[in-house]
Amino acid sequence: QQQQQQQQPQQPQQREGLAPKGTEDEPRDFTKVPQEMNNRFEVLDVDHALRPTIISPGKVWTKRTQKSLLAKPTESILGSDEIKDEKDSAFDLLDALTKSGALPIEHAALHIIVAATHCFDKTVMEAAVQDNVNPIEKVERSTLIMASTVHALPPARLIREAQQARVKAASSALFIEDTVGVQRQ
């Protein structure tokens, strides 16, 4: 009985990284987020202004270390070979701490960066004056497409109630449930 009582608190109803309520209770495959985002761009970005952006780290990194808690920090420049060695060391440490994955890592956070570029055909002033278009609404739509994909929530859940009518008027396609492809909770 004690084992059952100990195991119950370890099974929260909604864990981070899982699919939202209403879908299967499986871990989300974060490697598919960029493709999901591209698919959403094609369907929902009527101006075709969003483009995927590849972020490439530099070839030279700066390493800041401290030998002990009271020691002065030091900096060193790492080239590609040193970067590879440092990455390998970090993964070796992770492997040792988790006993090759046998021990779970609790209370850890995974940070993922997903980027897109919003391209404008005209300057802000040209869009506002010549075309009578509010460029802020375009960027807002782009942001909602990305945020709803990353958070796996419908755009309506990401917007304050007081702003929903305004955003729906400017970007009605975001609020069509079948087109968005995100189940409402």
Side-chain angles (χ1 to χ4, degrees), residues 40-55:
R40 303 280 302 276
F41 290 168
E42 288 176 13
V43 172
L44 299 173
D45 183 26
V46 294
D47 299 332
H48 304 292
L50 283 169
R51 299 282 181 264
T53 302
I54 297 173
I55 301 172

Side-chain angles (χ1 to χ4, degrees), residues 8-9 15 17 19 51 55 57 61 82 86 103 105 113 116 126 156:
Q8 285 177 351
R15 296 184 315 239
R51 299 282 181 264
I55 301 172
W61 291 8
E82 292 92 354
E86 291 294 330
L103 297 175
I105 300 174
I113 298 173
E126 288 173 343

Side-chain angles (χ1 to χ4, degrees), residues 149-164:
T149 305
V150 169
H151 296 288
L153 291 171
R157 293 271 317 268
L158 301 172
I159 304 169
R160 288 189 179 136
E161 187 109 10
Q163 300 297 320
Q164 293 216 6

Side-chain angles (χ1 to χ4, degrees), residues 61-66 72-78:
W61 291 8
T62 303
K63 177 184 175 185
R64 293 180 187 92
T65 59
Q66 212 171 332
K72 289 186 176 183
T74 59
E75 281 191 11
S76 57
I77 304 297
L78 304 178

